[in-house]
């Protein structure tokens, strides 16, 4: 049972345009969501997060939107840059006895073309 | 600030062998979580350690075990290795009960022949 899904395995965008990465979840107990970026041969790097009590969080070129009723979140990158090319993982967390374990989606590979 | 470091970076083992992977947590962090990332998939939670005890476990068999030391560093041990154990093993550290994100190391690539 995959509780966090990223249905697009890859996305190609022109430099300067907007990149939109999507993520769906099924567990209504998730209360905190994160996006991580991963370059080859490196570990995931935290990008941006959002609490379930908010519907939007913005940090520079990156904005995350949360639609709780649809159990859907998205990451917007604008403008996209070639250095943004990486695999992006959506992750979710809920307070339980397992501390702050993260449940990850399968990732979306973003390619930004110059 | 020292980040999360993992060793070794690569490892090749054969079926049935045992392996130990190591992780040093980021300074100021007191929990360590281990994840397995198979090729083409997202990381899967194995377990978390806090105060030198297991503080939550994912859907992994008992042959996956761990340790945390007083300096918050950690080991992941896998016994009776199987071909499906081939994966990238990621360690992440964080502060317990904090909304601060987990910080990941670069992982150990384990290949089982």
């Amino acid at each position: 049972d995959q509780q966090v899904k990223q249905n697009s395995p890859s996305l190609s965008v022109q430099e300067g345009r907007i990149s939109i990465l999507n993520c769906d979840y099924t567990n209504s107990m998730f209360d905190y969501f994160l996006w991580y970026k991963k370059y080859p041969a490196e570990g995931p790097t935290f990008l941006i997060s959002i609490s379930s009590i908010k519907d939007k969080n913005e940090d520079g070129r990156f904005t995350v939107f949360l639609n709780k009723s649809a159990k859907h979140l998205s990451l917007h990158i604008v403008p996209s840059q070639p250095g943004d090319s990486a695999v992006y993982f959506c992750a979710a967390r809920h307070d339980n006895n397992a501390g702050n374990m993260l449940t990850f989606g399968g990732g979306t590979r973003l390619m930004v073309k110059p | 600030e020292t980040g999360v470091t993992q060793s070794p970076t690569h490892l090749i083992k054969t079926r049935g062998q045992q392996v130990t992977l190591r992780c040093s947590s980021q300074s100021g962090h007191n929990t360590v979580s281990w994840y397995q990332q198979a090729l083409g998939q997202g990381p899967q939670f194995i377990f978390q350690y806090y105060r030198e005890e297991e503080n939550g476990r994912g859907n992994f068999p008992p042959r996956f075990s761990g340790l945390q030391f007083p300096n918050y560093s950690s080991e992941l041990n896998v016994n009776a290795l199987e071909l499906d154990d081939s994966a990238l093993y990621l360690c992440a550290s964080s502060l317990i009960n904090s909304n601060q994100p987990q910080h990941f190391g670069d992982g150990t690539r384990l290949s089982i022949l």
Side-chain angles (χ1 to χ4, degrees):
Chain A
D1 175 31
Q2 204 172 355
Q3 299 187 60
V4 178
K5 287 185 180 180
Q6 295 176 254
N7 290 318
S8 298
S10 65
L11 175 67
S12 183
V13 170
Q14 204 68 33
E15 181 180 5
R17 306 295 292 267
I18 185 171
S19 296
I20 300 176
L21 295 93
N22 294 304
C23 177
D24 297 294
Y25 62 96
T26 57
N27 190 338
S28 57
M29 297 297 292
F30 288 141
D31 60 3
Y32 197 69
F33 303 89
L34 307 91
W35 285 93
Y36 282 84
K37 178 171 70 173
K38 188 178 185 302
Y39 293 117
E42 294 183 12
T45 303
F46 170 72
L47 199 55
I48 192 169
S49 62
I50 187 167
S51 165
S52 60
I53 62 173
K54 295 186 175 182
D55 56 14
K56 177 182 174 181
N57 188 27
E58 193 171 352
D59 184 3
R61 296 186 297 115
F62 304 92
T63 303
V64 56
F65 296 92
L66 175 62
N67 182 334
K68 281 185 65 177
S69 60
K71 293 190 176 66
H72 176 85
L73 64 156
S74 61
L75 174 68
H76 293 211
I77 306 173
V78 57
S80 301
Q81 300 173 354
D84 296 329
S85 297
V87 177
Y88 288 78
F89 291 101
C90 166
R93 190 188 78 191
H94 63 90
D95 286 333
N96 60 8
N97 291 333
N100 52 355
M101 65 167 273
L102 298 177
T103 302
F104 282 85
T108 297
R109 181 176 301 279
L110 173 66
M111 292 163 283
V112 180
K113 299 177 181 177
Chain B
E1 183 178 85
T2 307
V4 179
T5 57
Q6 293 186 242
S7 62
T9 53
H10 296 89
L11 204 49
I12 298 174
K13 292 283 188 179
T14 57
R15 276 189 304 173
Q17 285 189 311
Q18 178 267 343
V19 70
T20 298
L21 310 182
R22 294 178 174 82
C23 171
S24 294
S25 62
Q26 179 167 310
S27 57
H29 287 176
N30 55 13
T31 73
V32 173
S33 301
W34 287 91
Y35 293 83
Q36 180 196 66
Q37 186 182 9
L39 200 60
Q41 299 182 22
Q44 299 286 315
F45 176 74
I46 303 175
F47 45 55
Q48 182 185 82
Y49 275 81
Y50 170 61
R51 288 185 174 175
E52 303 176 42
E53 292 188 354
E54 191 177 284
N55 185 45
R57 188 179 185 93
N59 190 25
F60 281 81
R63 60 190 184 84
F64 286 78
S65 63
L67 286 172
Q68 186 183 33
F69 300 99
N71 66 353
Y72 306 120
S73 66
S74 176
E75 287 182 355
L76 164 64
N77 299 291
V78 187
N79 293 323
L81 286 166
E82 302 176 358
L83 292 178
D84 284 348
D85 295 334
S86 294
L88 179 68
Y89 287 84
L90 294 162
C91 169
S93 71
S94 58
L95 198 57
I96 195 73
N97 297 328
S98 165
N99 266 344
Q100 294 301 309
Q102 293 184 16
H103 291 254
F104 284 82
D106 289 340
T108 294
R109 172 75 59 189
L110 176 63
S111 300
I112 311 301
L113 304 179

